[in-house]
Amino acid sequence: MLESEVLSALIATIYDAAIDPELWPQVLEGIRDFICGCAANFYWQDVSKENAGIFYCVGIDQSFLDSYFQTYTRLNPLYPAAAFFTPGDVFGADAVLSRQDLLQTRFYNEWMRPQGMVDSICANLEKSVGSVAALAVIRGERDGPVDDEAKRRLRLVVPHMIRASSIGHVVAEHMKGKAVLTDTLDRLAAGVLLVDAAGRTVFANAVAGQLLNAGRLLRNGPAGLAATDVAANRALQRALGSLGRSEAAFDTVGTAILLSSERTNAGSRMCCRSHPARVRNPRLAIPPSLPSSCARLPSTFPPRWRPSRGSTS
């Protein structure tokens, strides 16, 4: 296969991994093979050499990874000097110390040589005041020391790794925010449903999920969300239908709908209240007509969690 074809496929996988982190080992395998090495890792290292960590790694046995963090992170002769290279610059170990000096170190003789490693090529992807995130490809005995061709090839890959890691940060923050919101809604005593303009359920918190699964008051039918009680369903469909109106016509107070005339053991009746959800920034990746319906459930669905004083959960 032509180099351009291999590189194109590798770049595509890099950007896929920014969205799906489980693909990073596959990316590292591709980079390792493209550069011609025996191992590759995506890691972070403190400038102080006291701490280090691996995001993803291929080609290094777990026992050697463990020994690196336990002993050899402080003996790695490439640091702290390697942390001061500008992100995106590709450099070999010889940019920090001569090969002759490298061969005399404990790090080489006790950690690299037993694994058949002879050299490494690196690029910093991101730096902070006290640490650096970097990509490294380690060359084995059959690959030989780092040469100009290896550096040229890594320079083709690094810009995409930097962009992908930035995309990954954005995606991770988005997913983190989404997870926090979902977890918060799951802890409510009331059921919360989000439905689109067609009445289809796009989100249900834990309590609402129980209610829908029971199918006694509300259910997801072929035409969307529906109430089992005839009168309640008419009111619900009218409320959902009103969501197609302009924003100015929305009832900001919401519509209360009695789901059942039966009383619970506590003596209360079960009802829901629908509220339109307004999207103020149409550039956001959210459907512009995303309404919501909050169903207040009977006390038979108790809250699963209550925050204690000082809780940060």
Side-chain angles (χ1 to χ4, degrees), residues 62-80:
Q62 186 61 48
S63 63
F64 280 99
L65 283 178
D66 293 341
S67 68
Y68 181 82
F69 298 129
Q70 293 167 4
T71 303
Y72 294 100
T73 181
R74 291 179 290 276
L75 298 177
N76 188 338
L78 299 185
Y79 286 92

Side-chain angles (χ1 to χ4, degrees), residues 20-234:
D20 182 3
E22 291 185 2
L23 293 176
W24 280 118
Q26 181 180 335
V27 168
L28 289 179
E29 289 176 352
I31 293 174
R32 176 196 62 188
D33 296 342
F34 185 64
I35 306 303
C36 296
C38 63
N41 55 59
F42 182 15
Y43 67 97
W44 67 270
Q45 175 90 36
D46 273 355
V47 174
S48 67
K49 301 175 65 169
E50 290 300 317
N51 294 294
I54 290 285
F55 298 126
Y56 299 96
C57 177
V58 295
I60 302 179
D61 186 79
Q62 186 61 48
S63 63
F64 280 99
L65 283 178
D66 293 341
S67 68
Y68 181 82
F69 298 129
Q70 293 167 4
T71 303
Y72 294 100
T73 181
R74 291 179 290 276
L75 298 177
N76 188 338
L78 299 185
Y79 286 92
F84 295 99
F85 283 86
T86 301
D89 287 351
V90 171
F91 60 94
D94 60 353
V96 175
L97 75 169
S98 69
R99 179 158 184 80
Q100 182 177 0
D101 289 338
L102 174 65
L103 298 180
Q104 303 302 314
T105 64
R106 282 186 59 191
F107 181 76
Y108 178 84
N109 287 288
E110 297 177 12
W111 196 82
M112 290 183 66
R113 189 164 66 176
Q115 298 180 77
M117 299 174 176
V118 298
D119 205 354
S120 65
I121 182 173
C122 308
N124 293 330
L125 304 180
E126 185 176 308
K127 290 202 305 181
S128 65
V129 174
S131 64
V132 61
L135 169 69
V137 176
I138 302 173
R139 303 269 280 195
E141 293 172 348
R142 69 175 184 178
D143 308 306
V146 171
D147 54 18
D148 290 340
E149 176 63 11
K151 293 178 181 179
R152 181 188 71 82
R153 289 195 168 202
L154 189 56
R155 289 191 187 101
L156 297 175
V157 173
V158 167
H160 302 286
M161 285 290 293
I162 292 175
R163 294 189 193 106
S165 62
S166 298
I167 293 170
H169 286 320
V170 173
V171 172
E173 287 301 312
H174 171 75
M175 296 305 294
K176 180 181 177 181
K178 180 179 178 181
V180 169
L181 176 60
T182 299
D183 186 58
T184 300
L185 293 177
D186 277 344
R187 291 170 174 175
L188 295 178
V192 178
L193 295 166
L194 296 181
V195 298
D196 62 16
R200 296 183 296 263
T201 301
V202 296
F203 172 81
N205 73 344
V207 176
Q210 295 177 39
L211 183 69
L212 290 172
N213 290 335
R216 189 167 63 88
L217 298 175
L218 291 171
R219 68 178 186 276
N220 279 319
L225 185 66
T228 56
D229 181 83
V230 176
N233 191 52
R234 282 198 298 267

